[in-house]
Amino acid sequence: MTRVRVLVPLSAAAAKSGEHPGAGHRELVALCLATGRSRGLAVEVLTCAGAAETARRLHEAAALALPVVIDREACALGSPSVRDALAQCQAPVIEVSPADAYLRAEHRRAAPCLTGTIGGFGLDSYRLALHAVADWVTDTARADAPCFCSASVGAPCPR
């Protein structure tokens, strides 16, 4: 069973009060675990309370060659330490944004070292990202020679 790391932000309210994340977080964890089980993935959902923790968790995932699904808010893309950690990842790193990323300012769009971005589907964005990871893991042709180009699904790689 392939392990997958899902990184989500610690909510501002929980971070201020020192409490555990609320019901919305529990729903997200349940969704990720159920999706992972249905696709043969061992999912671990971890909260990140800032760039340093995000970078540490990414370095751990890179060392273990784990695929990562990372919430846009947890990503802290402006942080050099997070960008460096993302660049070390060899397995797919899929950014998730429950909101539509194209509605953001240009400087807030995806980092070039990400495998892909899924957004605009609310919590289902996580489910879709985990399906993408499962497909990557089980597709031996892509696993042997990964190509993370921007070609349309099903279209040949332009390389």
Side-chain angles (χ1 to χ4, degrees):
M1 192 174 267
T2 300
R3 287 177 55 199
V4 179
R5 184 163 279 189
V6 177
L7 302 180
V8 298
L10 187 62
S11 72
K16 288 179 187 173
S17 67
E19 297 174 5
H20 293 290
H25 179 76
R26 286 191 298 274
E27 181 181 85
L28 171 62
V29 170
L31 174 87
C32 290
L33 295 178
T35 301
R37 273 192 305 275
S38 75
R39 295 301 306 266
L41 302 173
V43 175
E44 56 183 3
V45 180
L46 304 170
T47 57
C48 297
E53 188 171 15
T54 301
R56 181 178 58 79
R57 293 189 186 280
L58 284 167
H59 280 296
E60 291 168 353
L64 297 169
L66 300 179
V68 176
V69 173
I70 185 166
D71 184 285
R72 173 81 191 164
E73 196 175 318
C75 206
L77 290 178
S79 165
S81 63
V82 170
R83 284 187 178 268
D84 289 345
L86 284 168
Q88 300 303 310
C89 295
Q90 297 301 307
V93 178
I94 299 174
E95 176 195 35
V96 170
S97 176
D100 187 346
Y102 288 98
L103 298 178
R104 294 192 197 107
E106 183 68 32
H107 71 280
R108 298 206 18 116
R109 293 199 179 147
C113 48
L114 296 170
T115 302
T117 301
I118 296 175
F121 297 97
L123 288 182
D124 272 346
S125 297
Y126 290 92
R127 183 180 56 76
L128 294 168
L130 288 167
H131 281 289
V133 167
D135 289 345
W136 180 84
V137 167
T138 58
D139 184 350
T140 56
R142 188 164 46 176
D144 290 341
C147 174
F148 303 120
C149 64
S150 60
S152 300
V153 175
C157 176
R159 287 196 284 168

